[in-house]
Amino acid sequence: MLCTLALLASPTLCLAAPDHEQLGRWIHDAENVLRGKTSAAVVSMKIKKASYERDYELMVYTDDRASSSKVLMRMLGPALWRGNATLKVAERISFFDPRTSRITVMGSTMLGENWMGSHFTNDDLMRETDLARHYQYRLLNTSSSKDESGDPVTQQLIELTPLPQAPVAWAKVLYRLNIGADQRALPLSVEYFRRQDDAKPARTLEYAGLKLIEQRKLPTRLTMSPSDAPGEFTRIEYRKLKFDVSFAADDFSERAFR
């Protein structure tokens, strides 16, 4: 019935019932929509907590051409934090403090810690957890809708539960994404639950700010909000974003810290 209604509204949005493999591809594509094979971005981060507010500007490089992904995040401002950097190469994650010239290698116990006092964890930003690989999926609902720019989409609500022995922090994830006329998956929201039977998520990540970047419609604003602290949030906004960037060998080494 849903497919019939979608066909009447927009023939391009009539999707066959997705199998498990298709759900995994959608989640993988949605998770990496702002990365591509390689990318370079300048982003702002605003942290709002009950006790303080902070604003940062960051440079972010990503390289996912090999199975061992690489991420470099360098602080551009404010001046107090300029030069602080976080580097991920395969499973190794290291931090650099320019004031002491000290490099610290992160242990697995630090993955769940908040990055620079934000509501995003080290795991969120470094993508050590792979939702498409570490979880199994179940389609809960499909509906016809419109995206932020008014274009028709098919909205999918997918429940993710961890695979046995998966090294993950969340017992359940509800992933809402939009499938457009071009069949590309764009993330809309992600709810993270500490226990599978929890009625309320511990936190929610929302995507918005659709813009056309290099001929791709992409969300440019990500907001993470904790459920136990109403009014608090961390918001990341993409100011500049370029895909298919050529990187030198040293761009993802600890030599790039200095």
Side-chain angles (χ1 to χ4, degrees):
M1 182 63 178
L2 286 173
C3 191
T4 302
L5 293 175
L7 181 61
L8 292 174
S10 176
T12 60
L13 296 183
C14 185
L15 303 176
D19 58 18
H20 189 269
E21 184 178 346
Q22 177 66 74
L23 294 177
R25 283 198 299 269
W26 282 343
I27 293 167
H28 176 272
D29 291 348
E31 284 286 277
N32 293 281
V33 71
L34 292 165
R35 292 171 64 123
K37 292 182 179 178
T38 63
S39 70
V42 175
V43 306
S44 63
M45 174 182 281
K46 181 176 184 62
I47 305 170
K48 186 178 187 302
K49 292 193 172 182
S51 55
Y52 63 85
E53 293 188 21
R54 292 178 186 166
D55 292 279
Y56 299 127
E57 187 171 18
L58 313 169
M59 178 275 296
V60 183
Y61 289 166
T62 69
D63 187 343
D64 292 328
R65 290 173 294 181
S67 57
S68 55
S69 65
K70 303 173 185 178
V71 181
L72 174 64
M73 299 179 61
R74 184 190 295 277
M75 301 287 290
L76 302 177
L80 176 64
W81 303 102
R82 187 176 300 132
N84 278 263
T86 306
L87 173 68
K88 175 183 183 292
V89 177
E91 296 181 357
R92 178 184 171 90
I93 301 175
S94 51
F95 301 94
F96 175 66
D97 184 343
R99 291 171 295 183
T100 61
S101 293
R102 181 180 179 183
I103 296 174
T104 304
V105 177
M106 186 178 76
S108 59
T109 57
M110 296 174 65
L111 279 171
E113 293 185 5
N114 292 340
W115 189 85
M116 296 297 293
S118 73
H119 297 93
F120 287 89
T121 65
N122 292 312
D123 192 17
D124 293 327
L125 299 177
M126 295 293 107
R127 295 292 175 86
E128 185 67 13
T129 297
D130 185 339
L131 292 181
R133 183 164 60 92
H134 291 139
Y135 285 77
Q136 56 189 351
Y137 345 103
R138 181 168 67 100
L139 182 64
L140 297 183
N141 186 53
T142 298
S143 60
S144 297
S145 186
K146 290 186 178 181
D147 67 15
E148 185 182 323
S149 61
D151 291 333
V153 294
T154 300
Q155 194 171 111
Q156 311 283 355
L157 178 60
I158 304 168
E159 180 187 69
L160 288 74
T161 51
L163 291 168
Q165 310 305 315
V168 297
W170 306 105
K172 182 174 71 174
V173 176
L174 291 183
Y175 210 116
R176 194 180 304 274
L177 51 82
N178 288 335
I179 310 298
D182 58 2
Q183 307 303 301
R184 294 178 62 242
L186 292 181
L188 191 60
S189 67
V190 189
E191 295 178 301
Y192 301 87
F193 296 78
R194 298 195 187 281
R195 292 174 293 275
Q196 289 194 24
D197 58 352
D198 283 351
K200 186 178 181 180
R203 60 179 193 162
T204 300
L205 174 61
E206 296 178 305
Y207 292 80
L210 286 180
K211 293 182 181 178
L212 196 63
I213 300 176
E214 295 190 6
Q215 306 306 309
R216 315 179 203 186
K217 185 190 290 187
L218 299 172
T220 59
R221 185 168 65 252
L222 292 68
T223 305
M224 184 74 80
S225 305
S227 297
D228 60 357
E232 291 193 5
F233 64 85
T234 296
R235 179 170 296 131
I236 294 176
E237 295 202 40
Y238 280 72
R239 303 299 187 187
K240 299 179 182 178
L241 176 60
K242 184 174 179 58
F243 295 107
D244 301 322
V245 179
S246 296
F247 290 114
D250 285 352
D251 287 337
F252 291 97
S253 73
E254 292 178 354
R255 286 189 291 274
F257 285 157
R258 297 178 170 85

